[in-house]
């Protein structure tokens, strides 16, 4: 069965600092991997996704993620965090291009200190 | 209206009440989904509809009853709920089951 682990429940960073959110997955075949962001009172917004090809994928809002098969990881990064990035971030793994049968992690709550 | 809309945004109900959640997508998608988001737990897929036909029911209790009258509208009918059903209920849609999912803002449900 597929699963996703986000080991950090809460992360606090200073504005302007770099950010890395961890995601480890378990999946029997080639994974389709996703990062979503959820701002308070909002639904989930897709940040980026990986299907195949270049293992470093670029997303919206200056985010990127790197797929590392040997580590079963898909960590999310941003070189310089803005206060508006404060939100909850979810990693997900699924089948199919858009993520049929998505399995989500429990999320990482990001706090940005000014 | 654009994207996926959900009404109401907040709902408080007693255990004996009957209420319904509504989702509407304005994207021309043909697949729609209900998810449950509880605190400290991963997002749980509840139901999947593809071209108005239910294709998945993830062992959801019968006190939750979905309805999909057309590809643009999805309802979740609620009756005799339990306090542990309190959660954020998210609707999503996609073009085909493998298409990218677009989520609505959710309905925050509190069961007293």
């Amino acid at each position: 069965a597929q699963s996703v682990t986000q080991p950090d429940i809460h992360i606090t960073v200073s504005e302007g600092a770099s950010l890395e959110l961890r995601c480890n997955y378990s999946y029997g075949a080639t994974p389709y991997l996703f990062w979503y962001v959820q701002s308070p009172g909002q639904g989930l917004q897709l940040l980026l996704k990986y299907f195949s090809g270049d293992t470093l994928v670029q997303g919206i809002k200056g985010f990127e993620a790197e797929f590392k098969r040997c580590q079963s990881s898909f960590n999310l990064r941003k070189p310089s965090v803005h206060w508006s990035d404060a939100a909850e971030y979810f990693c997900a793994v699924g089948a199919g291009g858009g993520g049929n049968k998505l399995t989500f992690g429990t999320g990482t709550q990001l706090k940005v200190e000014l | 209206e654009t994207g996926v809309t959900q009404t109401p945004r907040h709902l408080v109900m007693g255990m004996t009440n009957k209420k319904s959640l509504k989702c509407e997508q304005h994207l021309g998608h043909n697949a729609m989904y209900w998810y449950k988001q509880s605190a400290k737990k991963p997002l749980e897929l509840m139901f999947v509809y593809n071209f108005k036909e239910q294709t998945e029911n993830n062992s959801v209790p019968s006190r939750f009853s979905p309805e999909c009258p057309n590809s643009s509208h999805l309802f979740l009918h609620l009756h005799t709920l339990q306090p542990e059903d309190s959660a954020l209920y998210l609707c999503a849609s996609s073009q085909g089951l493998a298409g990218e999912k677009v989520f609505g803002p959710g309905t925050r449900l509190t069961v007293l």
Side-chain angles (χ1 to χ4, degrees):
Chain A
Q2 59 200 50
S3 66
V4 175
T5 302
Q6 293 180 248
D8 304 306
I9 298 174
H10 299 278
I11 282 187
T12 300
V13 299
S14 299
E15 189 174 39
S18 63
L19 171 71
E20 183 168 30
L21 302 183
R22 295 184 290 166
C23 172
N24 292 96
Y25 67 89
S26 173
Y27 192 73
T30 302
Y32 292 79
L33 295 159
F34 306 81
W35 274 101
Y36 287 87
V37 61
Q38 185 178 33
S39 299
Q42 302 295 317
L44 276 67
Q45 181 183 20
L46 181 66
L47 281 176
L48 49 77
K49 57 190 175 186
Y50 171 78
F51 297 159
S52 63
D54 192 346
T55 57
L56 184 64
V57 293
Q58 302 297 322
I60 61 171
K61 306 185 181 187
F63 285 92
E64 65 179 27
E66 186 171 12
F67 169 59
K68 293 186 178 180
R69 184 185 298 276
C70 58
Q71 297 177 13
S72 297
S73 70
F74 188 56
N75 294 349
L76 182 71
R77 301 195 294 248
K78 186 168 184 178
S80 177
V81 170
H82 188 263
W83 64 266
S84 60
D85 293 324
E88 190 154 22
Y89 292 80
F90 294 91
C91 182
V93 64
N100 194 15
K101 297 184 182 294
L102 283 177
T103 297
F104 285 84
T106 50
T108 297
Q109 186 71 48
L110 173 66
K111 181 179 175 183
V112 180
E113 289 182 333
L114 299 176
Chain B
E1 293 276 22
T2 59
V4 180
T5 58
Q6 291 186 242
T7 55
R9 294 295 306 276
H10 300 271
L11 178 63
V12 179
M13 60 186 289
M15 290 192 286
T16 58
N17 292 157
K18 288 185 180 181
K19 296 287 184 183
S20 295
L21 309 185
K22 179 182 176 183
C23 174
E24 184 173 2
Q25 60 94 1
H26 310 267
L27 300 165
H29 290 168
N30 48 35
M32 297 188 76
Y33 311 78
W34 279 117
Y35 286 85
K36 177 183 178 182
Q37 187 177 26
S38 304
K40 306 287 190 275
K41 293 177 66 176
L43 209 63
E44 302 169 59
L45 179 64
M46 300 175 71
F47 300 103
V48 181
Y49 277 82
N50 192 29
F51 290 101
K52 304 188 299 179
E53 299 298 320
Q54 186 178 124
T55 59
E56 190 154 342
N57 175 339
N58 259 0
S59 304
V60 180
S62 59
R63 57 186 184 270
F64 294 91
S65 174
E67 179 190 0
C68 189
N70 55 61
S71 294
S72 298
H73 294 86
L74 184 65
F75 295 89
L76 189 62
H77 303 299
L78 317 170
H79 67 97
T80 58
L81 294 192
Q82 305 298 311
E84 59 265 28
D85 296 322
S86 298
L88 182 69
Y89 288 85
L90 291 166
C91 174
S93 69
S94 64
Q95 185 58 29
L97 293 175
E100 180 179 313
K101 289 169 181 53
V102 178
F103 286 83
T107 294
R108 174 67 64 186
L109 173 66
T110 302
V111 181
L112 302 176

